[in-house]
Amino acid sequence: MIKVISVVGARPNFMKVAPVHKAFIKKHAGVVNHKICHTGQHYDEKMSDIFFKQLNIPEPDFYLGVGGGSHAEQTGKIMIEFEKVLLNEKPDLVIVVGDVNSTIACSLTAKKLNIKVAHIEAGLRSFDRTMPEELNRILTDSISDFLFVTEDSGVNNLRNEGVNEDKIFFVGNCMIDSLIDILPHSDKSGILNDLKLTPNNYVLVTMHRPSNVDNPERLEKLIQLLNEISAKRKLVFPVHPRTRKNLEQFGLMYNLNQNIILTDPIGYVDFISLIKNSELIITDSGGIQEESTYLGVQCITLRKSTERPSTVDIGSNQLVGEDFDKAKEAATKVLNGYKKKGNVPPLWDGKSAERIADILVDELRIK
Ligand code: UD1
């Protein structure tokens, strides 16, 4: 048996590991023993547990319970705890996904024990090294043995960094596998009714990047922008724990006007329904740029750069920088009827995780 441990830590990781787990069971049950380790980077019911339930993945085999903290604290704690798991379990392979602190912490721990590492969502680059995620991506890719890439730019970035061709596998996007699986359930969601929203007639907002929410002046400007847009449409704003903490700390919570519906973080089934039915999304998330592109929904990304350029070059995403005036201009255009046409990038077809599982089984059997 090939023993594999996949690592999840933060909310955007769960939907990337779920289809890989299912692919191992469906196609390689007698060959792969697949276990899941949850670092506990995200720990709230609404940031974590609900995703396990809705994605239909089993309870994690290992839970490290590290919680929040500074980057060094969080990364260090994960490494110390994950090393214990690896020493006990001695897996043949560790799979890490995305770009969060759990990703670099666990890949580094595994490689120091000479355990092979596969990185799902490799090669993405924002070229902005002030983002913690960019450092996590570069470092994880530089030590991983198998680099599974979601879009063309990732392959080019890895080549430009001199990575050996035989480590790079262009497999598409396994977050889209989960999205395709969940769509029939999302179509039955009652969230629009619950929030009294009309399809195609509201704006969905998510904002959690330190560059947008950790600075009081920027957060205040963001709220001004949302208040202005809310004169035209209802807004729904599920608030990330980091953003909520800052809104409260900076005394801005009550500056938001009444046409803005604030909610706690929303589970996967309901959130996909909110994305699919929205007229426009304003976000700084990585994953939502991709989900909106797949669903052909208008998306405005409030960031200087995106590590997912195919969502702009091929998809329905627009990058407006960290400029609130540009965001307002772009939002007004969309709400006045302009729609950026978009297509779905290659291999975002619901079969990425199966490709990954097949490749890993082939490669690990040979070695
Ligand atoms: C992390 C990722 C980011 C990803 C985001 C998705 C890193 C460096 N950042 O950022 O790439 O886009 O997750 O959400 O890994 N908190 C709670 N409850 C939770 C989770 C977090 O209260 O369930 C609190 C933490 O204690 C902390 C804050 O929210 O105070 C931020 O959490 P943290 O995991 O450090 O970073 P995120 O901003 O969530």
Side-chain angles (χ1 to χ4, degrees), residues 10-12 41-44 47 68 71 74 99-101 132-133 136 208-209 240-242 245:
R11 185 169 58 180
Q41 178 174 346
H42 285 175
Y43 44 85
D44 286 347
M47 294 292 286
H71 283 272
Q74 197 172 54
D99 55 17
V100 302
N101 286 342
E133 294 82 0
N136 293 342
H208 74 280
R209 296 269 157 216
H240 184 279
R242 170 191 285 278
K245 206 162 73 184

Side-chain angles (χ1 to χ4, degrees), residues 124-147:
L124 297 183
R125 297 289 180 266
S126 65
F127 301 101
D128 174 2
R129 290 196 179 196
T130 63
M131 285 178 79
E133 294 82 0
E134 183 72 353
L135 300 177
N136 293 342
R137 289 180 204 115
I138 294 169
L139 295 173
T140 302
D141 285 345
S142 71
I143 55 174
S144 294
D145 302 276
F146 305 100
L147 296 163

